Short mmCIF file of all heavy atoms in Angstrom, two decimals:
data_model
loop_
_atom_site.label_atom_id
_atom_site.label_comp_id
_atom_site.label_asym_id
_atom_site.label_seq_id
_atom_site.Cartn_x
_atom_site.Cartn_y
_atom_site.Cartn_z
N MET K 1 6.33 -0.80 19.79
CA MET K 1 5.53 -0.52 18.60
C MET K 1 6.08 0.69 17.86
O MET K 1 6.48 1.67 18.47
CB MET K 1 4.07 -0.26 18.97
CG MET K 1 3.21 -1.51 19.08
SD MET K 1 3.16 -2.47 17.57
CE MET K 1 1.80 -1.66 16.71
N GLY K 2 6.07 0.59 16.54
CA GLY K 2 6.52 1.70 15.72
C GLY K 2 5.42 2.72 15.53
O GLY K 2 4.31 2.59 16.05
N ARG K 3 5.74 3.69 14.76
CA ARG K 3 4.82 4.79 14.51
C ARG K 3 3.91 4.51 13.31
O ARG K 3 2.81 5.04 13.22
CB ARG K 3 5.68 6.03 14.27
CG ARG K 3 4.91 7.24 13.91
CD ARG K 3 5.82 8.45 13.97
NE ARG K 3 5.06 9.62 13.58
CZ ARG K 3 5.44 10.86 13.84
NH1 ARG K 3 6.56 11.09 14.47
NH2 ARG K 3 4.69 11.87 13.47
N TYR K 4 4.41 3.68 12.41
CA TYR K 4 3.66 3.44 11.18
C TYR K 4 2.75 2.22 11.27
O TYR K 4 3.11 1.21 11.86
CB TYR K 4 4.62 3.22 10.00
CG TYR K 4 5.36 4.44 9.55
CD1 TYR K 4 6.43 4.32 8.69
CD2 TYR K 4 4.98 5.70 9.98
CE1 TYR K 4 7.13 5.43 8.26
CE2 TYR K 4 5.68 6.82 9.56
CZ TYR K 4 6.75 6.69 8.71
OH TYR K 4 7.44 7.78 8.29
N LYS K 5 1.59 2.36 10.67
CA LYS K 5 0.66 1.24 10.54
C LYS K 5 0.61 0.86 9.07
O LYS K 5 0.58 1.74 8.21
CB LYS K 5 -0.73 1.68 11.03
CG LYS K 5 -1.74 0.57 11.09
CD LYS K 5 -3.07 1.11 11.56
CE LYS K 5 -4.10 0.77 10.53
NZ LYS K 5 -5.26 1.57 10.47
N VAL K 6 0.63 -0.43 8.79
CA VAL K 6 0.57 -0.88 7.40
C VAL K 6 -0.68 -1.71 7.15
O VAL K 6 -1.13 -2.45 8.02
CB VAL K 6 1.82 -1.70 7.00
CG1 VAL K 6 3.04 -0.81 6.88
CG2 VAL K 6 2.08 -2.84 7.97
N GLN K 7 -1.23 -1.56 5.96
CA GLN K 7 -2.38 -2.35 5.53
C GLN K 7 -2.12 -2.82 4.10
O GLN K 7 -1.54 -2.08 3.32
CB GLN K 7 -3.65 -1.50 5.47
CG GLN K 7 -4.17 -0.99 6.79
CD GLN K 7 -5.18 0.13 6.53
OE1 GLN K 7 -4.83 1.28 6.43
NE2 GLN K 7 -6.44 -0.25 6.39
N VAL K 8 -2.58 -4.01 3.78
CA VAL K 8 -2.46 -4.51 2.42
C VAL K 8 -3.83 -4.42 1.74
O VAL K 8 -4.83 -4.88 2.28
CB VAL K 8 -1.98 -5.98 2.39
CG1 VAL K 8 -1.94 -6.50 0.96
CG2 VAL K 8 -0.61 -6.10 3.05
N ILE K 9 -3.84 -3.79 0.57
CA ILE K 9 -5.06 -3.78 -0.25
C ILE K 9 -5.04 -5.08 -1.06
O ILE K 9 -4.32 -5.21 -2.05
CB ILE K 9 -5.07 -2.58 -1.22
CG1 ILE K 9 -4.75 -1.27 -0.49
CG2 ILE K 9 -6.42 -2.49 -1.96
CD1 ILE K 9 -5.73 -0.88 0.56
N ARG K 10 -5.83 -6.03 -0.62
CA ARG K 10 -5.77 -7.38 -1.21
C ARG K 10 -6.01 -7.39 -2.72
O ARG K 10 -5.37 -8.13 -3.45
CB ARG K 10 -6.80 -8.29 -0.55
CG ARG K 10 -6.32 -8.92 0.73
CD ARG K 10 -7.35 -9.92 1.24
NE ARG K 10 -7.25 -11.22 0.60
CZ ARG K 10 -6.38 -12.15 0.92
NH1 ARG K 10 -5.49 -11.93 1.86
NH2 ARG K 10 -6.37 -13.32 0.31
N ASP K 11 -6.95 -6.56 -3.17
CA ASP K 11 -7.28 -6.56 -4.59
C ASP K 11 -6.11 -6.10 -5.45
O ASP K 11 -6.03 -6.42 -6.63
CB ASP K 11 -8.48 -5.64 -4.85
CG ASP K 11 -9.77 -6.27 -4.35
OD1 ASP K 11 -9.75 -7.46 -4.00
OD2 ASP K 11 -10.79 -5.57 -4.31
N LYS K 12 -5.21 -5.33 -4.86
CA LYS K 12 -4.07 -4.80 -5.62
C LYS K 12 -2.87 -5.73 -5.57
O LYS K 12 -1.97 -5.64 -6.40
CB LYS K 12 -3.65 -3.44 -5.06
CG LYS K 12 -4.50 -2.29 -5.50
CD LYS K 12 -3.83 -1.00 -5.05
CE LYS K 12 -4.13 0.14 -5.98
NZ LYS K 12 -3.38 1.35 -5.57
N CYS K 13 -2.81 -6.60 -4.57
CA CYS K 13 -1.63 -7.45 -4.37
C CYS K 13 -1.57 -8.52 -5.45
O CYS K 13 -2.54 -9.22 -5.72
CB CYS K 13 -1.71 -8.11 -2.99
SG CYS K 13 -0.34 -9.25 -2.69
N ILE K 14 -0.38 -8.62 -6.08
CA ILE K 14 -0.19 -9.64 -7.12
C ILE K 14 0.78 -10.73 -6.67
O ILE K 14 1.26 -11.52 -7.47
CB ILE K 14 0.33 -8.99 -8.44
CG1 ILE K 14 1.62 -8.20 -8.17
CG2 ILE K 14 -0.73 -8.10 -9.06
CD1 ILE K 14 2.37 -7.80 -9.43
N GLY K 15 1.08 -10.74 -5.39
CA GLY K 15 1.92 -11.81 -4.84
C GLY K 15 3.38 -11.74 -5.25
O GLY K 15 4.08 -12.74 -5.30
N ALA K 16 3.85 -10.54 -5.55
CA ALA K 16 5.24 -10.38 -5.99
C ALA K 16 6.23 -10.66 -4.87
O ALA K 16 7.40 -10.93 -5.12
CB ALA K 16 5.46 -8.97 -6.54
N ALA K 17 5.76 -10.55 -3.64
CA ALA K 17 6.53 -10.91 -2.43
C ALA K 17 7.75 -10.04 -2.17
O ALA K 17 8.58 -10.40 -1.34
CB ALA K 17 6.93 -12.38 -2.45
N SER K 18 7.89 -8.91 -2.84
CA SER K 18 9.02 -8.05 -2.47
C SER K 18 8.85 -7.51 -1.06
O SER K 18 9.83 -7.31 -0.34
CB SER K 18 9.25 -6.93 -3.48
OG SER K 18 8.08 -6.56 -4.11
N CYS K 19 7.61 -7.30 -0.64
CA CYS K 19 7.39 -6.83 0.74
C CYS K 19 7.90 -7.87 1.74
O CYS K 19 8.48 -7.53 2.76
CB CYS K 19 5.91 -6.54 0.98
SG CYS K 19 4.81 -7.93 0.69
N VAL K 20 7.69 -9.16 1.43
CA VAL K 20 8.14 -10.24 2.30
C VAL K 20 9.66 -10.27 2.36
O VAL K 20 10.26 -10.46 3.43
CB VAL K 20 7.60 -11.60 1.82
CG1 VAL K 20 8.06 -12.73 2.72
CG2 VAL K 20 6.08 -11.57 1.72
N ALA K 21 10.30 -10.04 1.20
CA ALA K 21 11.75 -10.05 1.15
C ALA K 21 12.34 -8.91 1.99
O ALA K 21 13.35 -9.09 2.66
CB ALA K 21 12.22 -9.94 -0.30
N VAL K 22 11.70 -7.76 1.96
CA VAL K 22 12.21 -6.59 2.68
C VAL K 22 11.88 -6.67 4.17
O VAL K 22 12.70 -6.35 5.02
CB VAL K 22 11.66 -5.28 2.07
CG1 VAL K 22 12.09 -4.08 2.89
CG2 VAL K 22 12.11 -5.13 0.63
N ALA K 23 10.67 -7.10 4.50
CA ALA K 23 10.21 -7.07 5.89
C ALA K 23 9.49 -8.38 6.23
O ALA K 23 8.27 -8.44 6.29
CB ALA K 23 9.28 -5.87 6.12
N SER K 24 10.28 -9.41 6.49
CA SER K 24 9.71 -10.75 6.69
C SER K 24 8.97 -10.91 8.02
O SER K 24 8.22 -11.85 8.20
CB SER K 24 10.80 -11.81 6.57
OG SER K 24 11.77 -11.60 7.57
N LYS K 25 9.19 -9.97 8.95
CA LYS K 25 8.43 -10.04 10.20
C LYS K 25 7.11 -9.32 10.10
O LYS K 25 6.27 -9.40 10.99
CB LYS K 25 9.26 -9.44 11.34
CG LYS K 25 10.38 -10.35 11.76
CD LYS K 25 11.18 -9.75 12.89
CE LYS K 25 12.31 -10.67 13.28
NZ LYS K 25 13.47 -9.89 13.73
N ALA K 26 6.94 -8.57 9.01
CA ALA K 26 5.72 -7.79 8.85
C ALA K 26 4.73 -8.42 7.87
O ALA K 26 3.53 -8.27 8.04
CB ALA K 26 6.06 -6.38 8.38
N PHE K 27 5.27 -9.10 6.86
CA PHE K 27 4.39 -9.63 5.81
C PHE K 27 4.70 -11.09 5.51
O PHE K 27 5.85 -11.52 5.59
CB PHE K 27 4.56 -8.83 4.51
CG PHE K 27 4.33 -7.36 4.66
CD1 PHE K 27 5.41 -6.50 4.79
CD2 PHE K 27 3.05 -6.84 4.70
CE1 PHE K 27 5.21 -5.13 4.94
CE2 PHE K 27 2.84 -5.47 4.85
CZ PHE K 27 3.93 -4.62 4.97
N LYS K 28 3.65 -11.82 5.11
CA LYS K 28 3.86 -13.13 4.51
C LYS K 28 2.77 -13.32 3.47
O LYS K 28 1.76 -12.60 3.46
CB LYS K 28 3.81 -14.25 5.54
CG LYS K 28 2.44 -14.51 6.09
CD LYS K 28 2.39 -15.85 6.81
CE LYS K 28 0.94 -16.15 7.19
NZ LYS K 28 0.54 -17.49 7.12
N LEU K 29 2.99 -14.28 2.58
CA LEU K 29 1.95 -14.59 1.60
C LEU K 29 1.04 -15.66 2.18
O LEU K 29 1.51 -16.63 2.78
CB LEU K 29 2.57 -15.10 0.30
CG LEU K 29 3.41 -14.09 -0.49
CD1 LEU K 29 3.83 -14.70 -1.83
CD2 LEU K 29 2.68 -12.78 -0.72
N ASP K 30 -0.26 -15.49 2.00
CA ASP K 30 -1.19 -16.52 2.47
C ASP K 30 -1.39 -17.57 1.37
O ASP K 30 -0.69 -17.54 0.35
CB ASP K 30 -2.52 -15.88 2.93
CG ASP K 30 -3.30 -15.25 1.80
OD1 ASP K 30 -2.95 -15.45 0.61
OD2 ASP K 30 -4.28 -14.54 2.10
N ASP K 31 -2.31 -18.48 1.56
CA ASP K 31 -2.45 -19.58 0.60
C ASP K 31 -3.06 -19.14 -0.73
O ASP K 31 -3.14 -19.91 -1.67
CB ASP K 31 -3.21 -20.77 1.21
CG ASP K 31 -4.55 -20.36 1.78
OD1 ASP K 31 -4.98 -19.21 1.55
OD2 ASP K 31 -5.16 -21.18 2.48
N GLN K 32 -3.48 -17.87 -0.80
CA GLN K 32 -3.94 -17.33 -2.08
C GLN K 32 -2.88 -16.45 -2.72
O GLN K 32 -3.17 -15.68 -3.65
CB GLN K 32 -5.23 -16.53 -1.88
CG GLN K 32 -6.37 -17.39 -1.38
CD GLN K 32 -7.64 -16.59 -1.13
OE1 GLN K 32 -7.61 -15.38 -0.92
NE2 GLN K 32 -8.77 -17.27 -1.16
N GLN K 33 -1.66 -16.52 -2.19
CA GLN K 33 -0.54 -15.72 -2.70
C GLN K 33 -0.81 -14.22 -2.59
O GLN K 33 -0.41 -13.43 -3.45
CB GLN K 33 -0.20 -16.10 -4.16
CG GLN K 33 0.22 -17.55 -4.32
CD GLN K 33 1.48 -17.89 -3.53
OE1 GLN K 33 2.53 -17.30 -3.72
NE2 GLN K 33 1.37 -18.84 -2.60
N LYS K 34 -1.49 -13.86 -1.51
CA LYS K 34 -1.72 -12.44 -1.21
C LYS K 34 -1.00 -12.14 0.10
O LYS K 34 -0.99 -12.97 1.02
CB LYS K 34 -3.22 -12.16 -1.02
CG LYS K 34 -4.06 -12.50 -2.23
CD LYS K 34 -4.14 -11.34 -3.18
CE LYS K 34 -5.18 -11.61 -4.27
NZ LYS K 34 -5.19 -10.55 -5.27
N ALA K 35 -0.44 -10.93 0.17
CA ALA K 35 0.29 -10.56 1.38
C ALA K 35 -0.68 -10.28 2.53
O ALA K 35 -1.74 -9.68 2.34
CB ALA K 35 1.15 -9.34 1.11
N VAL K 36 -0.30 -10.74 3.73
CA VAL K 36 -1.05 -10.42 4.94
C VAL K 36 -0.05 -9.84 5.95
O VAL K 36 1.14 -10.15 5.92
CB VAL K 36 -1.77 -11.65 5.54
CG1 VAL K 36 -2.93 -12.07 4.66
CG2 VAL K 36 -0.82 -12.81 5.76
N VAL K 37 -0.57 -9.01 6.85
CA VAL K 37 0.26 -8.41 7.89
C VAL K 37 0.35 -9.38 9.06
O VAL K 37 -0.66 -9.90 9.53
CB VAL K 37 -0.32 -7.05 8.34
CG1 VAL K 37 0.54 -6.43 9.43
CG2 VAL K 37 -0.44 -6.10 7.15
N LEU K 38 1.57 -9.62 9.52
CA LEU K 38 1.82 -10.57 10.60
C LEU K 38 1.69 -9.90 11.98
O LEU K 38 1.91 -8.70 12.11
CB LEU K 38 3.24 -11.13 10.47
CG LEU K 38 3.48 -12.06 9.28
CD1 LEU K 38 4.98 -12.28 9.10
CD2 LEU K 38 2.77 -13.38 9.49
N PRO K 39 1.40 -10.70 13.03
CA PRO K 39 1.35 -10.15 14.39
C PRO K 39 2.70 -9.58 14.84
O PRO K 39 2.75 -8.76 15.76
CB PRO K 39 0.97 -11.36 15.26
CG PRO K 39 0.49 -12.40 14.32
CD PRO K 39 1.06 -12.11 12.97
N THR K 40 3.79 -10.02 14.20
CA THR K 40 5.12 -9.55 14.58
C THR K 40 5.53 -8.28 13.84
O THR K 40 6.70 -7.89 13.88
CB THR K 40 6.17 -10.65 14.27
OG1 THR K 40 5.96 -11.13 12.94
CG2 THR K 40 6.07 -11.80 15.24
N VAL K 41 4.57 -7.62 13.21
CA VAL K 41 4.87 -6.41 12.43
C VAL K 41 5.61 -5.36 13.27
O VAL K 41 6.45 -4.62 12.76
CB VAL K 41 3.56 -5.83 11.82
CG1 VAL K 41 2.55 -5.47 12.89
CG2 VAL K 41 3.85 -4.64 10.92
N GLY K 42 5.34 -5.33 14.58
CA GLY K 42 5.97 -4.34 15.46
C GLY K 42 7.46 -4.54 15.62
O GLY K 42 8.16 -3.65 16.12
N GLU K 43 7.97 -5.69 15.19
CA GLU K 43 9.41 -5.96 15.29
C GLU K 43 10.19 -5.33 14.13
O GLU K 43 11.42 -5.29 14.16
CB GLU K 43 9.68 -7.47 15.35
CG GLU K 43 9.16 -8.09 16.64
CD GLU K 43 9.28 -9.60 16.64
OE1 GLU K 43 10.24 -10.13 16.04
OE2 GLU K 43 8.40 -10.26 17.23
N GLU K 44 9.48 -4.89 13.12
CA GLU K 44 10.15 -4.21 12.00
C GLU K 44 10.23 -2.70 12.30
O GLU K 44 9.32 -2.13 12.87
CB GLU K 44 9.37 -4.40 10.69
CG GLU K 44 9.31 -5.83 10.20
CD GLU K 44 10.61 -6.29 9.54
OE1 GLU K 44 11.55 -5.49 9.40
OE2 GLU K 44 10.66 -7.48 9.17
N SER K 45 11.32 -2.08 11.85
CA SER K 45 11.45 -0.63 12.04
C SER K 45 10.51 0.10 11.08
O SER K 45 10.10 -0.45 10.05
CB SER K 45 12.89 -0.21 11.79
OG SER K 45 13.19 -0.36 10.41
N ASP K 46 10.18 1.33 11.44
CA ASP K 46 9.35 2.15 10.56
C ASP K 46 9.99 2.31 9.18
O ASP K 46 9.30 2.24 8.16
CB ASP K 46 9.12 3.53 11.19
CG ASP K 46 8.13 3.47 12.34
OD1 ASP K 46 7.29 2.55 12.37
OD2 ASP K 46 8.20 4.35 13.22
N ASP K 47 11.30 2.52 9.18
CA ASP K 47 12.01 2.69 7.90
C ASP K 47 11.83 1.47 7.01
O ASP K 47 11.62 1.57 5.81
CB ASP K 47 13.51 2.91 8.14
CG ASP K 47 13.81 4.33 8.58
OD1 ASP K 47 12.88 5.16 8.55
OD2 ASP K 47 14.96 4.59 8.96
N ASN K 48 11.92 0.31 7.64
CA ASN K 48 11.81 -0.93 6.88
C ASN K 48 10.39 -1.15 6.36
O ASN K 48 10.20 -1.66 5.25
CB ASN K 48 12.24 -2.11 7.76
CG ASN K 48 13.16 -3.03 7.02
OD1 ASN K 48 13.90 -2.59 6.16
ND2 ASN K 48 13.09 -4.31 7.33
N LEU K 49 9.41 -0.78 7.16
CA LEU K 49 8.02 -0.90 6.71
C LEU K 49 7.78 0.00 5.50
O LEU K 49 7.13 -0.41 4.53
CB LEU K 49 7.06 -0.52 7.84
CG LEU K 49 6.99 -1.49 9.01
CD1 LEU K 49 6.05 -0.96 10.09
CD2 LEU K 49 6.54 -2.88 8.56
N LEU K 50 8.34 1.20 5.56
CA LEU K 50 8.18 2.12 4.44
C LEU K 50 8.89 1.58 3.20
O LEU K 50 8.34 1.60 2.09
CB LEU K 50 8.72 3.50 4.82
CG LEU K 50 8.53 4.61 3.80
CD1 LEU K 50 7.04 4.79 3.46
CD2 LEU K 50 9.10 5.92 4.31
N LEU K 51 10.09 1.06 3.40
CA LEU K 51 10.83 0.46 2.28
C LEU K 51 10.05 -0.68 1.64
O LEU K 51 9.99 -0.81 0.41
CB LEU K 51 12.16 -0.11 2.79
CG LEU K 51 13.41 0.74 2.69
CD1 LEU K 51 14.59 -0.04 3.25
CD2 LEU K 51 13.67 1.13 1.24
N ALA K 52 9.46 -1.52 2.48
CA ALA K 52 8.68 -2.65 1.98
C ALA K 52 7.51 -2.16 1.14
O ALA K 52 7.24 -2.67 0.06
CB ALA K 52 8.19 -3.52 3.14
N ALA K 53 6.83 -1.14 1.64
CA ALA K 53 5.69 -0.59 0.91
C ALA K 53 6.16 0.01 -0.42
O ALA K 53 5.51 -0.16 -1.46
CB ALA K 53 4.98 0.47 1.75
N GLN K 54 7.30 0.68 -0.39
CA GLN K 54 7.81 1.30 -1.61
C GLN K 54 8.30 0.26 -2.61
O GLN K 54 8.38 0.53 -3.81
CB GLN K 54 8.94 2.28 -1.26
CG GLN K 54 8.40 3.52 -0.55
CD GLN K 54 9.50 4.41 0.01
OE1 GLN K 54 10.61 3.95 0.24
NE2 GLN K 54 9.18 5.66 0.26
N SER K 55 8.63 -0.93 -2.13
CA SER K 55 9.11 -1.99 -3.02
C SER K 55 7.96 -2.68 -3.75
O SER K 55 8.18 -3.44 -4.69
CB SER K 55 9.90 -3.03 -2.22
OG SER K 55 9.03 -3.90 -1.53
N CYS K 56 6.75 -2.43 -3.32
CA CYS K 56 5.60 -3.13 -3.91
C CYS K 56 5.31 -2.56 -5.30
O CYS K 56 5.06 -1.37 -5.43
CB CYS K 56 4.38 -2.98 -3.01
SG CYS K 56 2.91 -3.74 -3.73
N PRO K 57 5.33 -3.43 -6.32
CA PRO K 57 5.15 -2.94 -7.69
C PRO K 57 3.76 -2.38 -7.97
O PRO K 57 3.57 -1.62 -8.92
CB PRO K 57 5.42 -4.18 -8.55
CG PRO K 57 5.21 -5.34 -7.65
CD PRO K 57 5.58 -4.89 -6.27
N THR K 58 2.78 -2.73 -7.17
CA THR K 58 1.42 -2.25 -7.43
C THR K 58 0.93 -1.26 -6.37
O THR K 58 -0.25 -0.92 -6.33
CB THR K 58 0.43 -3.43 -7.50
OG1 THR K 58 0.43 -4.09 -6.22
CG2 THR K 58 0.82 -4.42 -8.57
N ALA K 59 1.84 -0.85 -5.48
CA ALA K 59 1.49 0.08 -4.39
C ALA K 59 0.29 -0.43 -3.59
O ALA K 59 -0.64 0.31 -3.28
CB ALA K 59 1.25 1.48 -4.91
N ALA K 60 0.36 -1.73 -3.26
CA ALA K 60 -0.75 -2.36 -2.54
C ALA K 60 -0.66 -2.18 -1.03
O ALA K 60 -1.57 -2.57 -0.30
CB ALA K 60 -0.79 -3.85 -2.88
N ILE K 61 0.45 -1.61 -0.57
CA ILE K 61 0.64 -1.44 0.88
C ILE K 61 0.47 0.03 1.24
O ILE K 61 1.17 0.89 0.72
CB ILE K 61 2.03 -1.94 1.33
CG1 ILE K 61 2.17 -3.42 1.00
CG2 ILE K 61 2.22 -1.70 2.82
CD1 ILE K 61 3.57 -3.96 1.22
N ILE K 62 -0.48 0.28 2.12
CA ILE K 62 -0.74 1.64 2.59
C ILE K 62 -0.03 1.82 3.93
O ILE K 62 -0.19 1.00 4.84
CB ILE K 62 -2.26 1.86 2.83
CG1 ILE K 62 -3.09 1.43 1.62
CG2 ILE K 62 -2.54 3.30 3.23
CD1 ILE K 62 -2.98 2.31 0.44
N VAL K 63 0.76 2.89 4.04
CA VAL K 63 1.44 3.20 5.29
C VAL K 63 0.82 4.45 5.89
O VAL K 63 0.72 5.48 5.22
CB VAL K 63 2.95 3.44 5.06
CG1 VAL K 63 3.66 3.69 6.39
CG2 VAL K 63 3.58 2.26 4.33
N THR K 64 0.39 4.35 7.15
CA THR K 64 -0.22 5.48 7.83
C THR K 64 0.60 5.83 9.07
O THR K 64 1.05 4.94 9.80
CB THR K 64 -1.66 5.13 8.27
OG1 THR K 64 -2.35 4.54 7.18
CG2 THR K 64 -2.43 6.35 8.74
N ASP K 65 0.80 7.12 9.29
CA ASP K 65 1.45 7.60 10.50
C ASP K 65 0.39 7.65 11.60
O ASP K 65 -0.58 8.40 11.51
CB ASP K 65 2.02 9.01 10.24
CG ASP K 65 2.82 9.54 11.41
OD1 ASP K 65 2.41 9.29 12.57
OD2 ASP K 65 3.84 10.20 11.17
N THR K 66 0.58 6.85 12.65
CA THR K 66 -0.46 6.73 13.67
C THR K 66 -0.53 7.98 14.55
O THR K 66 -1.52 8.17 15.26
CB THR K 66 -0.22 5.50 14.57
OG1 THR K 66 1.09 5.61 15.14
CG2 THR K 66 -0.34 4.22 13.79
N GLN K 67 0.50 8.80 14.53
CA GLN K 67 0.47 10.00 15.37
C GLN K 67 -0.25 11.16 14.69
O GLN K 67 -0.98 11.91 15.35
CB GLN K 67 1.88 10.41 15.77
CG GLN K 67 2.43 9.45 16.83
CD GLN K 67 3.86 9.76 17.22
OE1 GLN K 67 4.35 10.86 16.99
NE2 GLN K 67 4.53 8.79 17.81
N THR K 68 -0.06 11.27 13.38
CA THR K 68 -0.70 12.39 12.67
C THR K 68 -1.94 11.93 11.90
O THR K 68 -2.73 12.76 11.47
CB THR K 68 0.27 13.02 11.66
OG1 THR K 68 0.58 12.03 10.67
CG2 THR K 68 1.53 13.50 12.34
N GLY K 69 -2.09 10.62 11.72
CA GLY K 69 -3.20 10.10 10.93
C GLY K 69 -2.98 10.25 9.43
O GLY K 69 -3.83 9.91 8.62
N GLU K 70 -1.81 10.76 9.07
CA GLU K 70 -1.49 11.05 7.68
C GLU K 70 -1.08 9.79 6.93
O GLU K 70 -0.39 8.94 7.49
CB GLU K 70 -0.32 12.04 7.69
CG GLU K 70 -0.05 12.74 6.39
CD GLU K 70 1.21 13.60 6.53
OE1 GLU K 70 1.50 14.06 7.66
OE2 GLU K 70 1.91 13.77 5.53
N GLN K 71 -1.48 9.69 5.67
CA GLN K 71 -1.00 8.59 4.82
C GLN K 71 0.39 8.94 4.30
O GLN K 71 0.58 9.95 3.65
CB GLN K 71 -1.97 8.37 3.66
CG GLN K 71 -1.55 7.20 2.78
CD GLN K 71 -2.61 6.84 1.75
OE1 GLN K 71 -3.78 6.68 2.08
NE2 GLN K 71 -2.22 6.71 0.50
N VAL K 72 1.35 8.06 4.62
CA VAL K 72 2.75 8.32 4.27
C VAL K 72 3.08 7.73 2.89
O VAL K 72 3.88 8.28 2.15
CB VAL K 72 3.67 7.70 5.35
CG1 VAL K 72 5.12 7.94 5.04
CG2 VAL K 72 3.32 8.24 6.73
N TRP K 73 2.46 6.59 2.58
CA TRP K 73 2.67 5.93 1.30
C TRP K 73 1.44 5.16 0.91
O TRP K 73 0.81 4.58 1.79
CB TRP K 73 3.89 4.97 1.40
CG TRP K 73 4.27 4.41 0.07
CD1 TRP K 73 3.90 3.23 -0.47
CD2 TRP K 73 5.10 5.06 -0.90
NE1 TRP K 73 4.44 3.09 -1.71
CE2 TRP K 73 5.18 4.20 -2.01
CE3 TRP K 73 5.77 6.29 -0.95
CZ2 TRP K 73 5.90 4.52 -3.15
CZ3 TRP K 73 6.48 6.60 -2.08
CH2 TRP K 73 6.55 5.72 -3.17
N PRO K 74 1.04 5.10 -0.38
CA PRO K 74 1.60 5.87 -1.48
C PRO K 74 1.25 7.34 -1.37
O PRO K 74 0.20 7.67 -0.82
CB PRO K 74 0.96 5.25 -2.73
CG PRO K 74 -0.10 4.33 -2.26
CD PRO K 74 0.00 4.18 -0.80
N LYS K 75 2.10 8.17 -1.94
CA LYS K 75 1.87 9.61 -1.86
C LYS K 75 0.88 10.05 -2.93
O LYS K 75 0.83 9.48 -3.98
CB LYS K 75 3.18 10.36 -2.03
CG LYS K 75 4.08 10.14 -0.84
CD LYS K 75 5.22 11.15 -0.84
CE LYS K 75 6.19 10.92 0.31
NZ LYS K 75 5.79 11.54 1.53
S1 SF4 T 101 5.02 -6.53 -2.66
FE1 SF4 T 101 2.92 -5.85 -3.06
S2 SF4 T 101 2.15 -7.21 -4.63
FE2 SF4 T 101 3.95 -8.16 -3.74
S3 SF4 T 101 3.17 -9.49 -2.14
FE3 SF4 T 101 3.67 -7.55 -1.19
S4 SF4 T 101 1.76 -6.40 -1.22
FE4 SF4 T 101 1.55 -8.05 -2.67
#
């Protein structure tokens, strides 16, 4: 397991799927074209999870550091 936890704010997600392109083990689009976090999220590196969150045009992905409890993204 990595250090970062990711959550998708569904109301903000517009289905742009850049998160899926960057981290396909962490995110997929559901049948409403909204991103969901996959059970295989732990197979992605922390760097990649952060990149995926940063690639989201609406900043719909929240990244939290599980050790400090700090929100890493969006800043
Ligand atoms: S990049 Fe953002 S808007 Fe696009 S699918 Fe992922 S969470 Fe949704």
Side-chain angles (χ1 to χ4, degrees):
M1 273 302 273
R3 176 169 179 162
Y4 289 167
K5 186 181 124 204
V6 288
Q7 293 165 272
V8 176
I9 311 297
R10 276 186 82 80
D11 287 350
K12 280 189 150 185
C13 177
I14 56 167
S18 28
C19 58
V20 180
V22 175
S24 61
K25 286 180 181 147
F27 304 99
K28 71 164 187 144
L29 294 186
D30 67 10
D31 53 10
Q32 297 178 337
Q33 299 298 302
K34 301 272 189 185
V36 289
V37 179
L38 291 168
T40 49
V41 60
E43 293 173 33
E44 295 283 357
S45 68
D46 286 335
D47 282 352
N48 226 31
L49 290 177
L50 185 57
L51 265 180
Q54 289 171 338
S55 78
C56 177
T58 62
I61 300 172
I62 309 288
V63 182
T64 312
D65 185 322
T66 56
Q67 286 177 19
T68 64
E70 195 184 331
Q71 182 171 310
V72 180
W73 188 264
K75 291 194 183 275

